[in-house]
Amino acid sequence: MKRLPCILLLFCAFTFGSTAAMAQSGRPQDKNVEAAKVAFLTDKMELTAEQSQKFWPLYNEYETKRRELVRSYRSGYREDVDQLSDQEAKARLDGMFSTRERELELEKEYVARYQRVISSNQIIKLYRSEREFTKLLLKKLEANNKAQ
C-alpha cells in the first residue's frame, strides 16, 4: 500500500510532462489534467481503494452538475457590459447571486453524500488539495508560456 502514493506521484509527473507537450492540441490535455488531478487528490486525501471506488463517481457527478450550473449563468456573460441597461445589469447581478446560492446548496448536498464514503478530514483535504492542484497547474502553464 505504501507504493500507491509513489505510483500516483510518478503518474502525476508524467501526466504534467505530457500536458506541456499537448498544450496546443486542445482537448487531449483536458483528459491528462483530469487524470493528474484524480491521482493528486487521491494521494493528498489518502483514499483507500475502496473509498476511491465510491468517492470518484460522486465527485464527478458533483463536478458535472456544478459546471452545468455555472455554464447556465455564463451563457450571456460575454455581452458587452457597457451595452447593458441598469435594469439588465441588476438582473445579471441577481442571477449571479442566485447561481452562487444554488452552487452552495449543491456543495452542501454532496458533502453530506461524501461523508458516507470518506471522513470530514478527508473532505477538508479535498478542498485544500483542489486549490493546491490549481496553483500547481497555473505554475506549470506559466512555466510553459515562458518557455515558448
Side-chain angles (χ1 to χ4, degrees):
M1 195 67 177
K2 290 187 180 205
R3 286 183 162 180
L4 182 63
C6 292
I7 292 170
L8 290 174
L9 287 174
L10 282 173
F11 180 74
C12 277
F14 286 121
T15 303
F16 276 132
S18 66
T19 299
M22 300 177 79
Q24 295 183 3
S25 67
R27 293 290 164 209
Q29 81 180 34
D30 291 347
K31 291 185 181 186
N32 286 336
V33 171
E34 286 302 314
K37 182 179 178 180
V38 168
F40 184 84
L41 295 178
T42 298
D43 182 51
K44 292 291 186 174
M45 294 168 60
E46 301 174 356
L47 295 178
T48 65
E50 184 180 333
Q51 286 175 320
S52 287
Q53 187 177 6
K54 293 176 183 175
F55 172 76
W56 287 111
L58 278 176
Y59 182 85
N60 292 334
E61 186 179 300
Y62 164 75
E63 280 294 306
T64 299
K65 288 181 179 181
R66 189 189 62 77
R67 281 189 198 114
E68 288 172 8
L69 187 62
V70 171
R71 196 173 295 132
S72 70
Y73 165 72
R74 289 188 177 168
S75 61
Y77 195 73
R78 297 210 183 263
E79 292 177 22
D80 187 7
V81 175
D82 293 329
Q83 301 299 317
L84 296 176
S85 69
D86 195 50
Q87 197 171 20
E88 291 170 326
K90 184 184 178 330
R92 173 85 52 88
L93 288 171
D94 290 344
M96 179 184 69
F97 291 125
S98 174
T99 300
R100 286 184 182 174
E101 287 171 353
R102 289 184 298 183
E103 194 173 3
L104 180 59
E105 289 304 314
L106 182 68
E107 190 170 358
K108 286 179 181 180
E109 174 191 335
Y110 275 83
V111 163
R113 293 176 71 183
Y114 293 159
Q115 287 176 321
R116 295 182 207 142
V117 177
I118 61 176
S119 71
S120 296
N121 284 342
Q122 286 173 306
I123 295 171
I124 291 170
K125 288 178 183 180
L126 167 67
Y127 290 132
R128 287 183 178 176
S129 300
E130 284 176 322
R131 284 190 302 275
E132 188 178 339
F133 181 80
T134 300
K135 287 178 185 178
L136 279 170
L137 192 59
L138 291 173
K139 284 181 184 177
K140 183 72 172 171
L141 290 172
E142 185 179 315
N144 288 342
N145 287 336
K146 286 181 181 180
Q148 292 177 356

